[in-house]
Short mmCIF file of all heavy atoms in Angstrom, two decimals:
data_model
loop_
_atom_site.label_atom_id
_atom_site.label_comp_id
_atom_site.label_asym_id
_atom_site.label_seq_id
_atom_site.Cartn_x
_atom_site.Cartn_y
_atom_site.Cartn_z
N ASP E 444 -5.06 0.90 -30.97
CA ASP E 444 -5.02 0.93 -32.43
C ASP E 444 -6.36 1.38 -33.01
O ASP E 444 -6.40 2.13 -33.99
CB ASP E 444 -4.62 -0.44 -32.97
CG ASP E 444 -5.50 -1.55 -32.45
OD1 ASP E 444 -6.20 -1.32 -31.44
OD2 ASP E 444 -5.49 -2.65 -33.03
N ARG E 445 -7.47 0.94 -32.39
CA ARG E 445 -8.78 1.37 -32.87
C ARG E 445 -9.04 2.84 -32.54
O ARG E 445 -9.72 3.54 -33.30
CB ARG E 445 -9.87 0.50 -32.23
CG ARG E 445 -9.72 -0.99 -32.52
CD ARG E 445 -9.93 -1.29 -33.98
NE ARG E 445 -9.75 -2.71 -34.26
CZ ARG E 445 -9.87 -3.25 -35.46
NH1 ARG E 445 -10.14 -2.48 -36.50
NH2 ARG E 445 -9.70 -4.55 -35.63
N LEU E 446 -8.51 3.31 -31.42
CA LEU E 446 -8.67 4.73 -31.10
C LEU E 446 -7.92 5.61 -32.10
O LEU E 446 -8.41 6.67 -32.49
CB LEU E 446 -8.17 5.00 -29.68
CG LEU E 446 -9.03 4.47 -28.53
CD1 LEU E 446 -8.37 4.76 -27.19
CD2 LEU E 446 -10.42 5.08 -28.58
N VAL E 447 -6.73 5.17 -32.52
CA VAL E 447 -6.00 5.92 -33.54
C VAL E 447 -6.75 5.91 -34.86
O VAL E 447 -6.83 6.92 -35.57
CB VAL E 447 -4.58 5.33 -33.70
CG1 VAL E 447 -3.87 5.96 -34.90
CG2 VAL E 447 -3.76 5.57 -32.44
N LEU E 448 -7.35 4.75 -35.20
CA LEU E 448 -8.17 4.67 -36.42
C LEU E 448 -9.36 5.61 -36.34
O LEU E 448 -9.69 6.32 -37.31
CB LEU E 448 -8.63 3.23 -36.62
CG LEU E 448 -9.56 2.95 -37.80
CD1 LEU E 448 -8.89 3.31 -39.11
CD2 LEU E 448 -10.00 1.50 -37.80
N LEU E 449 -10.02 5.65 -35.18
CA LEU E 449 -11.15 6.55 -34.98
C LEU E 449 -10.70 8.01 -35.08
O LEU E 449 -11.39 8.85 -35.69
CB LEU E 449 -11.79 6.29 -33.62
CG LEU E 449 -12.92 7.23 -33.18
CD1 LEU E 449 -14.10 7.12 -34.13
CD2 LEU E 449 -13.34 6.93 -31.75
N ALA E 450 -9.54 8.33 -34.50
CA ALA E 450 -9.04 9.70 -34.54
C ALA E 450 -8.71 10.12 -35.96
O ALA E 450 -9.00 11.26 -36.38
CB ALA E 450 -7.81 9.83 -33.65
N ALA E 451 -8.10 9.22 -36.75
CA ALA E 451 -7.77 9.56 -38.14
C ALA E 451 -9.02 9.78 -38.97
O ALA E 451 -9.10 10.73 -39.77
CB ALA E 451 -6.91 8.45 -38.75
N ALA E 452 -10.03 8.91 -38.80
CA ALA E 452 -11.27 9.08 -39.55
C ALA E 452 -11.99 10.36 -39.12
O ALA E 452 -12.52 11.11 -39.97
CB ALA E 452 -12.17 7.87 -39.34
N GLY E 453 -12.04 10.63 -37.81
CA GLY E 453 -12.68 11.86 -37.34
C GLY E 453 -11.95 13.10 -37.81
O GLY E 453 -12.59 14.11 -38.18
N GLN E 454 -10.62 13.06 -37.83
CA GLN E 454 -9.85 14.21 -38.31
C GLN E 454 -10.14 14.47 -39.78
O GLN E 454 -10.34 15.62 -40.20
CB GLN E 454 -8.36 13.96 -38.11
CG GLN E 454 -7.48 15.13 -38.55
CD GLN E 454 -6.03 14.74 -38.72
OE1 GLN E 454 -5.72 13.79 -39.44
NE2 GLN E 454 -5.14 15.45 -38.06
N ALA E 455 -10.17 13.41 -40.59
CA ALA E 455 -10.43 13.59 -42.02
C ALA E 455 -11.83 14.16 -42.26
O ALA E 455 -12.01 15.05 -43.09
CB ALA E 455 -10.28 12.25 -42.74
N ALA E 456 -12.83 13.65 -41.52
CA ALA E 456 -14.19 14.14 -41.70
C ALA E 456 -14.32 15.60 -41.29
O ALA E 456 -14.93 16.41 -42.00
CB ALA E 456 -15.16 13.27 -40.89
N CYS E 457 -13.74 15.97 -40.15
CA CYS E 457 -13.86 17.35 -39.66
C CYS E 457 -13.07 18.32 -40.53
O CYS E 457 -13.53 19.44 -40.79
CB CYS E 457 -13.41 17.43 -38.21
SG CYS E 457 -14.46 16.54 -37.05
N LEU E 458 -11.89 17.91 -41.00
CA LEU E 458 -11.12 18.76 -41.90
C LEU E 458 -11.88 19.00 -43.20
O LEU E 458 -11.91 20.12 -43.73
CB LEU E 458 -9.76 18.14 -42.18
CG LEU E 458 -8.67 18.31 -41.12
CD1 LEU E 458 -7.43 17.50 -41.49
CD2 LEU E 458 -8.31 19.77 -40.95
N SER E 459 -12.47 17.93 -43.74
CA SER E 459 -13.21 18.07 -44.99
C SER E 459 -14.42 18.98 -44.81
O SER E 459 -14.72 19.81 -45.67
CB SER E 459 -13.67 16.69 -45.47
OG SER E 459 -12.56 15.84 -45.67
N LEU E 460 -15.10 18.85 -43.65
CA LEU E 460 -16.27 19.70 -43.42
C LEU E 460 -15.86 21.16 -43.22
O LEU E 460 -16.48 22.08 -43.78
CB LEU E 460 -17.02 19.20 -42.18
CG LEU E 460 -18.25 20.02 -41.75
CD1 LEU E 460 -19.29 20.05 -42.86
CD2 LEU E 460 -18.84 19.46 -40.47
N ALA E 461 -14.80 21.41 -42.42
CA ALA E 461 -14.38 22.78 -42.14
C ALA E 461 -13.85 23.48 -43.39
O ALA E 461 -13.97 24.70 -43.51
CB ALA E 461 -13.32 22.79 -41.05
N ALA E 462 -13.25 22.71 -44.30
CA ALA E 462 -12.67 23.32 -45.51
C ALA E 462 -13.67 23.40 -46.65
O ALA E 462 -13.37 24.02 -47.68
CB ALA E 462 -11.45 22.53 -45.96
N SER E 463 -14.85 22.77 -46.51
CA SER E 463 -15.79 22.72 -47.63
C SER E 463 -16.62 24.00 -47.70
O SER E 463 -16.61 24.84 -46.80
CB SER E 463 -16.72 21.52 -47.46
OG SER E 463 -17.57 21.70 -46.34
N GLY E 464 -17.38 24.11 -48.80
CA GLY E 464 -18.25 25.25 -48.98
C GLY E 464 -19.51 25.20 -48.14
O GLY E 464 -20.29 26.16 -48.15
N LEU E 465 -19.74 24.07 -47.43
CA LEU E 465 -20.92 23.98 -46.58
C LEU E 465 -20.81 24.90 -45.37
O LEU E 465 -21.83 25.30 -44.81
CB LEU E 465 -21.11 22.53 -46.11
CG LEU E 465 -21.34 21.49 -47.20
CD1 LEU E 465 -21.40 20.09 -46.59
CD2 LEU E 465 -22.62 21.80 -47.98
N VAL E 466 -19.58 25.23 -44.97
CA VAL E 466 -19.36 26.12 -43.84
C VAL E 466 -19.30 27.55 -44.37
O VAL E 466 -18.36 27.92 -45.09
CB VAL E 466 -18.06 25.75 -43.09
CG1 VAL E 466 -17.80 26.74 -41.97
CG2 VAL E 466 -18.16 24.34 -42.53
N THR E 467 -20.30 28.34 -44.04
CA THR E 467 -20.41 29.69 -44.61
C THR E 467 -20.31 30.80 -43.58
O THR E 467 -20.41 31.97 -43.95
CB THR E 467 -21.75 29.82 -45.35
OG1 THR E 467 -22.83 29.55 -44.42
CG2 THR E 467 -21.83 28.86 -46.52
N SER E 468 -20.10 30.48 -42.32
CA SER E 468 -19.99 31.51 -41.28
C SER E 468 -18.96 31.09 -40.25
O SER E 468 -18.59 29.90 -40.17
CB SER E 468 -21.35 31.77 -40.60
OG SER E 468 -21.77 30.63 -39.87
N LEU E 469 -18.51 32.06 -39.46
CA LEU E 469 -17.52 31.77 -38.44
C LEU E 469 -18.09 30.85 -37.36
O LEU E 469 -17.37 29.99 -36.83
CB LEU E 469 -17.02 33.07 -37.82
CG LEU E 469 -15.91 32.95 -36.77
CD1 LEU E 469 -14.66 32.32 -37.37
CD2 LEU E 469 -15.58 34.31 -36.18
N ALA E 470 -19.36 31.00 -37.05
CA ALA E 470 -19.97 30.13 -36.03
C ALA E 470 -20.02 28.69 -36.51
O ALA E 470 -19.73 27.76 -35.74
CB ALA E 470 -21.38 30.63 -35.72
N GLN E 471 -20.35 28.46 -37.78
CA GLN E 471 -20.34 27.11 -38.32
C GLN E 471 -18.93 26.53 -38.35
O GLN E 471 -18.72 25.34 -38.09
CB GLN E 471 -20.95 27.10 -39.72
CG GLN E 471 -22.42 27.45 -39.76
CD GLN E 471 -22.95 27.52 -41.18
OE1 GLN E 471 -22.21 27.36 -42.15
NE2 GLN E 471 -24.26 27.76 -41.31
N PHE E 472 -17.96 27.39 -38.67
CA PHE E 472 -16.58 26.93 -38.68
C PHE E 472 -16.13 26.52 -37.27
O PHE E 472 -15.46 25.50 -37.10
CB PHE E 472 -15.66 28.04 -39.22
CG PHE E 472 -14.21 27.67 -39.27
CD1 PHE E 472 -13.70 27.00 -40.37
CD2 PHE E 472 -13.35 27.96 -38.23
CE1 PHE E 472 -12.37 26.64 -40.43
CE2 PHE E 472 -12.02 27.61 -38.27
CZ PHE E 472 -11.53 26.95 -39.37
N ALA E 473 -16.48 27.32 -36.27
CA ALA E 473 -16.11 26.98 -34.90
C ALA E 473 -16.78 25.68 -34.47
O ALA E 473 -16.17 24.85 -33.76
CB ALA E 473 -16.50 28.12 -33.96
N ALA E 474 -18.03 25.46 -34.90
CA ALA E 474 -18.72 24.21 -34.57
C ALA E 474 -18.05 23.01 -35.22
O ALA E 474 -18.03 21.92 -34.66
CB ALA E 474 -20.18 24.30 -34.98
N ALA E 475 -17.48 23.20 -36.42
CA ALA E 475 -16.77 22.10 -37.09
C ALA E 475 -15.37 21.91 -36.53
O ALA E 475 -14.83 20.80 -36.56
CB ALA E 475 -16.70 22.38 -38.60
N GLN E 476 -14.77 22.99 -36.02
CA GLN E 476 -13.41 22.90 -35.51
C GLN E 476 -13.36 22.24 -34.14
O GLN E 476 -12.35 21.60 -33.79
CB GLN E 476 -12.78 24.30 -35.43
CG GLN E 476 -11.31 24.27 -35.10
CD GLN E 476 -10.84 25.54 -34.42
OE1 GLN E 476 -11.65 26.41 -34.11
NE2 GLN E 476 -9.56 25.64 -34.18
N ALA E 477 -14.41 22.37 -33.34
CA ALA E 477 -14.40 21.80 -31.99
C ALA E 477 -14.20 20.28 -32.00
O ALA E 477 -13.31 19.77 -31.31
CB ALA E 477 -15.67 22.19 -31.25
N PRO E 478 -14.96 19.51 -32.80
CA PRO E 478 -14.67 18.07 -32.86
C PRO E 478 -13.33 17.75 -33.49
O PRO E 478 -12.72 16.73 -33.17
CB PRO E 478 -15.83 17.49 -33.68
CG PRO E 478 -16.39 18.64 -34.43
CD PRO E 478 -16.19 19.83 -33.56
N LEU E 479 -12.84 18.62 -34.38
CA LEU E 479 -11.51 18.40 -34.96
C LEU E 479 -10.44 18.44 -33.87
O LEU E 479 -9.55 17.57 -33.82
CB LEU E 479 -11.23 19.45 -36.03
CG LEU E 479 -9.82 19.48 -36.61
CD1 LEU E 479 -9.51 18.16 -37.31
CD2 LEU E 479 -9.66 20.65 -37.58
N SER E 480 -10.52 19.44 -32.99
CA SER E 480 -9.57 19.51 -31.89
C SER E 480 -9.72 18.32 -30.95
O SER E 480 -8.73 17.82 -30.39
CB SER E 480 -9.77 20.81 -31.11
OG SER E 480 -9.58 21.94 -31.95
N PHE E 481 -10.95 17.83 -30.78
CA PHE E 481 -11.17 16.66 -29.93
C PHE E 481 -10.48 15.44 -30.52
O PHE E 481 -9.80 14.69 -29.80
CB PHE E 481 -12.67 16.41 -29.78
CG PHE E 481 -13.01 15.21 -28.95
CD1 PHE E 481 -13.08 15.31 -27.57
CD2 PHE E 481 -13.24 13.98 -29.54
CE1 PHE E 481 -13.38 14.20 -26.79
CE2 PHE E 481 -13.54 12.87 -28.79
CZ PHE E 481 -13.61 12.98 -27.40
N PHE E 482 -10.63 15.20 -31.82
CA PHE E 482 -10.01 14.03 -32.44
C PHE E 482 -8.49 14.17 -32.48
O PHE E 482 -7.77 13.17 -32.34
CB PHE E 482 -10.57 13.83 -33.85
CG PHE E 482 -11.96 13.27 -33.88
CD1 PHE E 482 -13.01 13.99 -34.41
CD2 PHE E 482 -12.22 12.01 -33.36
CE1 PHE E 482 -14.29 13.49 -34.43
CE2 PHE E 482 -13.50 11.48 -33.38
CZ PHE E 482 -14.55 12.22 -33.91
N ASN E 483 -7.98 15.39 -32.66
CA ASN E 483 -6.54 15.59 -32.59
C ASN E 483 -6.02 15.27 -31.20
O ASN E 483 -4.95 14.66 -31.04
CB ASN E 483 -6.18 17.03 -32.97
CG ASN E 483 -6.34 17.29 -34.45
OD1 ASN E 483 -6.34 16.37 -35.27
ND2 ASN E 483 -6.51 18.55 -34.83
N GLY E 484 -6.75 15.70 -30.15
CA GLY E 484 -6.36 15.36 -28.79
C GLY E 484 -6.46 13.88 -28.51
O GLY E 484 -5.63 13.31 -27.78
N LEU E 485 -7.46 13.21 -29.09
CA LEU E 485 -7.60 11.77 -28.92
C LEU E 485 -6.41 11.04 -29.53
O LEU E 485 -5.86 10.10 -28.92
CB LEU E 485 -8.90 11.30 -29.57
CG LEU E 485 -9.25 9.82 -29.46
CD1 LEU E 485 -9.46 9.42 -28.02
CD2 LEU E 485 -10.49 9.51 -30.30
N ALA E 486 -5.98 11.46 -30.71
CA ALA E 486 -4.80 10.86 -31.32
C ALA E 486 -3.54 11.14 -30.50
O ALA E 486 -2.67 10.28 -30.36
CB ALA E 486 -4.63 11.39 -32.75
N ARG E 487 -3.45 12.34 -29.94
CA ARG E 487 -2.29 12.69 -29.12
C ARG E 487 -2.16 11.78 -27.90
O ARG E 487 -1.05 11.45 -27.48
CB ARG E 487 -2.44 14.15 -28.68
CG ARG E 487 -1.40 14.67 -27.72
CD ARG E 487 -1.88 15.95 -27.08
NE ARG E 487 -3.10 15.74 -26.31
CZ ARG E 487 -3.94 16.71 -25.98
NH1 ARG E 487 -3.72 17.94 -26.37
NH2 ARG E 487 -5.02 16.44 -25.26
N ASP E 488 -3.28 11.34 -27.32
CA ASP E 488 -3.23 10.50 -26.13
C ASP E 488 -3.17 9.01 -26.47
O ASP E 488 -2.54 8.23 -25.76
CB ASP E 488 -4.45 10.76 -25.25
CG ASP E 488 -4.48 12.18 -24.71
OD1 ASP E 488 -3.39 12.76 -24.57
OD2 ASP E 488 -5.57 12.70 -24.44
N ALA E 489 -3.84 8.59 -27.54
CA ALA E 489 -3.87 7.17 -27.89
C ALA E 489 -2.60 6.73 -28.60
O ALA E 489 -2.20 5.57 -28.49
CB ALA E 489 -5.08 6.87 -28.78
N TYR E 490 -1.95 7.65 -29.28
CA TYR E 490 -0.77 7.28 -30.06
C TYR E 490 0.39 6.81 -29.18
O TYR E 490 0.98 5.77 -29.46
CB TYR E 490 -0.35 8.46 -30.94
CG TYR E 490 0.53 8.08 -32.08
CD1 TYR E 490 0.00 7.63 -33.28
CD2 TYR E 490 1.92 8.14 -31.97
CE1 TYR E 490 0.81 7.27 -34.33
CE2 TYR E 490 2.74 7.77 -33.00
CZ TYR E 490 2.18 7.34 -34.19
OH TYR E 490 2.98 6.98 -35.23
N PRO E 491 0.77 7.55 -28.11
CA PRO E 491 1.83 7.03 -27.23
C PRO E 491 1.47 5.70 -26.58
O PRO E 491 2.35 4.87 -26.31
CB PRO E 491 2.01 8.14 -26.19
CG PRO E 491 1.50 9.36 -26.85
CD PRO E 491 0.37 8.90 -27.71
N THR E 492 0.18 5.47 -26.30
CA THR E 492 -0.23 4.19 -25.74
C THR E 492 0.03 3.06 -26.72
O THR E 492 0.47 1.97 -26.34
CB THR E 492 -1.73 4.23 -25.38
OG1 THR E 492 -1.97 5.36 -24.54
CG2 THR E 492 -2.15 2.97 -24.65
N LEU E 493 -0.23 3.31 -28.00
CA LEU E 493 0.05 2.31 -29.02
C LEU E 493 1.56 2.06 -29.15
O LEU E 493 1.99 0.91 -29.33
CB LEU E 493 -0.53 2.77 -30.36
CG LEU E 493 -0.51 1.78 -31.52
CD1 LEU E 493 -1.20 0.49 -31.12
CD2 LEU E 493 -1.17 2.38 -32.74
N LEU E 494 2.36 3.12 -29.03
CA LEU E 494 3.82 2.94 -29.02
C LEU E 494 4.25 2.06 -27.85
O LEU E 494 5.08 1.16 -28.00
CB LEU E 494 4.52 4.29 -28.94
CG LEU E 494 4.42 5.25 -30.13
CD1 LEU E 494 5.16 6.53 -29.83
CD2 LEU E 494 4.97 4.60 -31.39
N ARG E 495 3.68 2.32 -26.69
CA ARG E 495 4.05 1.55 -25.49
C ARG E 495 3.66 0.09 -25.64
O ARG E 495 4.46 -0.81 -25.31
CB ARG E 495 3.36 2.17 -24.27
CG ARG E 495 3.66 1.46 -22.96
CD ARG E 495 3.01 2.20 -21.82
NE ARG E 495 3.34 1.61 -20.52
CZ ARG E 495 2.52 0.86 -19.82
NH1 ARG E 495 1.31 0.60 -20.28
NH2 ARG E 495 2.89 0.35 -18.66
N CYS E 496 2.45 -0.17 -26.15
CA CYS E 496 2.01 -1.56 -26.34
C CYS E 496 2.92 -2.28 -27.33
O CYS E 496 3.23 -3.47 -27.16
CB CYS E 496 0.57 -1.59 -26.82
SG CYS E 496 -0.63 -0.98 -25.63
N ARG E 497 3.33 -1.59 -28.37
CA ARG E 497 4.20 -2.22 -29.36
C ARG E 497 5.57 -2.56 -28.77
O ARG E 497 6.12 -3.65 -29.03
CB ARG E 497 4.36 -1.28 -30.55
CG ARG E 497 5.27 -1.78 -31.66
CD ARG E 497 4.62 -2.89 -32.44
NE ARG E 497 3.41 -2.44 -33.11
CZ ARG E 497 3.40 -1.82 -34.29
NH1 ARG E 497 4.53 -1.56 -34.91
NH2 ARG E 497 2.25 -1.45 -34.84
N LEU E 498 6.12 -1.66 -27.96
CA LEU E 498 7.47 -1.88 -27.43
C LEU E 498 7.48 -2.84 -26.26
O LEU E 498 8.49 -3.50 -26.01
CB LEU E 498 8.09 -0.55 -27.02
CG LEU E 498 8.39 0.40 -28.19
CD1 LEU E 498 8.90 1.73 -27.67
CD2 LEU E 498 9.42 -0.21 -29.13
N VAL E 499 6.37 -2.93 -25.51
CA VAL E 499 6.32 -3.87 -24.39
C VAL E 499 6.44 -5.30 -24.88
O VAL E 499 7.08 -6.15 -24.24
CB VAL E 499 5.01 -3.66 -23.59
CG1 VAL E 499 4.73 -4.85 -22.68
CG2 VAL E 499 5.12 -2.40 -22.75
N SER E 500 5.85 -5.57 -26.05
CA SER E 500 5.92 -6.92 -26.60
C SER E 500 7.24 -7.22 -27.28
O SER E 500 7.47 -8.35 -27.71
CB SER E 500 4.77 -7.13 -27.60
OG SER E 500 4.86 -6.20 -28.67
N SER E 501 8.12 -6.24 -27.42
CA SER E 501 9.42 -6.44 -28.04
C SER E 501 10.46 -6.70 -26.97
O SER E 501 10.26 -6.45 -25.78
CB SER E 501 9.80 -5.22 -28.89
OG SER E 501 8.81 -4.94 -29.85
N SER E 502 11.60 -7.20 -27.40
CA SER E 502 12.67 -7.52 -26.47
C SER E 502 13.77 -6.48 -26.60
O SER E 502 14.51 -6.46 -27.58
CB SER E 502 13.23 -8.93 -26.76
OG SER E 502 13.67 -9.02 -28.09
N PHE E 503 13.87 -5.60 -25.62
CA PHE E 503 14.91 -4.59 -25.56
C PHE E 503 15.65 -4.73 -24.25
O PHE E 503 15.04 -5.02 -23.20
CB PHE E 503 14.33 -3.18 -25.69
CG PHE E 503 13.87 -2.84 -27.08
CD1 PHE E 503 12.54 -3.02 -27.46
CD2 PHE E 503 14.77 -2.35 -28.03
CE1 PHE E 503 12.12 -2.72 -28.73
CE2 PHE E 503 14.35 -2.04 -29.30
CZ PHE E 503 13.02 -2.23 -29.66
N ALA E 504 16.95 -4.47 -24.28
CA ALA E 504 17.75 -4.58 -23.05
C ALA E 504 17.31 -3.55 -22.02
O ALA E 504 17.31 -3.80 -20.82
CB ALA E 504 19.24 -4.39 -23.38
N CYS E 505 16.90 -2.36 -22.48
CA CYS E 505 16.43 -1.30 -21.59
C CYS E 505 15.09 -0.80 -22.14
O CYS E 505 15.07 0.11 -22.98
CB CYS E 505 17.45 -0.17 -21.50
SG CYS E 505 17.02 1.14 -20.33
N PRO E 506 13.96 -1.41 -21.73
CA PRO E 506 12.66 -1.01 -22.30
C PRO E 506 12.34 0.46 -22.08
O PRO E 506 11.72 1.10 -22.92
CB PRO E 506 11.67 -1.92 -21.57
CG PRO E 506 12.48 -3.06 -21.06
CD PRO E 506 13.84 -2.50 -20.77
N GLU E 507 12.75 1.01 -20.93
CA GLU E 507 12.46 2.41 -20.65
C GLU E 507 13.15 3.32 -21.65
O GLU E 507 12.56 4.27 -22.18
CB GLU E 507 12.90 2.75 -19.23
CG GLU E 507 12.57 4.17 -18.80
CD GLU E 507 13.10 4.48 -17.43
OE1 GLU E 507 14.31 4.35 -17.23
OE2 GLU E 507 12.31 4.84 -16.55
N ALA E 508 14.42 3.03 -21.95
CA ALA E 508 15.14 3.83 -22.93
C ALA E 508 14.58 3.62 -24.33
O ALA E 508 14.54 4.55 -25.14
CB ALA E 508 16.63 3.48 -22.90
N ALA E 509 14.14 2.39 -24.63
CA ALA E 509 13.53 2.14 -25.95
C ALA E 509 12.25 2.94 -26.11
O ALA E 509 11.98 3.49 -27.18
CB ALA E 509 13.27 0.64 -26.11
N LEU E 510 11.44 3.00 -25.03
CA LEU E 510 10.22 3.80 -25.10
C LEU E 510 10.56 5.28 -25.27
O LEU E 510 9.89 6.01 -26.01
CB LEU E 510 9.40 3.58 -23.83
CG LEU E 510 8.08 4.36 -23.72
CD1 LEU E 510 7.15 3.99 -24.86
CD2 LEU E 510 7.41 4.10 -22.38
N THR E 511 11.60 5.75 -24.59
CA THR E 511 12.04 7.13 -24.75
C THR E 511 12.48 7.40 -26.18
O THR E 511 12.16 8.44 -26.76
CB THR E 511 13.17 7.45 -23.78
OG1 THR E 511 12.77 7.12 -22.45
CG2 THR E 511 13.56 8.92 -23.83
N ASP E 512 13.22 6.45 -26.77
CA ASP E 512 13.65 6.61 -28.15
C ASP E 512 12.47 6.68 -29.11
O ASP E 512 12.44 7.47 -30.04
CB ASP E 512 14.57 5.45 -28.55
CG ASP E 512 15.93 5.54 -27.89
OD1 ASP E 512 16.42 6.66 -27.66
OD2 ASP E 512 16.51 4.48 -27.57
N ALA E 513 11.46 5.82 -28.86
CA ALA E 513 10.28 5.82 -29.73
C ALA E 513 9.51 7.13 -29.60
O ALA E 513 9.06 7.70 -30.60
CB ALA E 513 9.38 4.64 -29.40
N MET E 514 9.35 7.62 -28.37
CA MET E 514 8.65 8.89 -28.18
C MET E 514 9.46 10.05 -28.74
O MET E 514 8.91 11.03 -29.25
CB MET E 514 8.35 9.11 -26.70
CG MET E 514 7.28 8.20 -26.14
SD MET E 514 6.82 8.65 -24.46
CE MET E 514 5.48 7.48 -24.19
#
Side-chain angles (χ1 to χ4, degrees):
D444 54 343
R445 301 294 178 180
L446 288 178
V447 171
L448 177 60
L449 175 63
Q454 182 197 53
C457 294
L458 280 174
S459 301
L460 177 60
S463 67
L465 299 176
V466 176
T467 58
S468 66
L469 183 61
Q471 294 176 356
F472 180 86
Q476 188 206 5
L479 173 62
S480 300
F481 179 85
F482 285 117
N483 287 339
L485 182 63
R487 175 196 61 200
D488 296 333
Y490 199 85
T492 306
L493 188 55
L494 292 179
R495 180 176 184 256
C496 294
R497 179 73 62 83
L498 292 176
V499 164
S500 60
S501 304
S502 56
F503 286 94
C505 184
E507 184 184 56
L510 180 61
T511 306
D512 288 327
M514 289 188 176

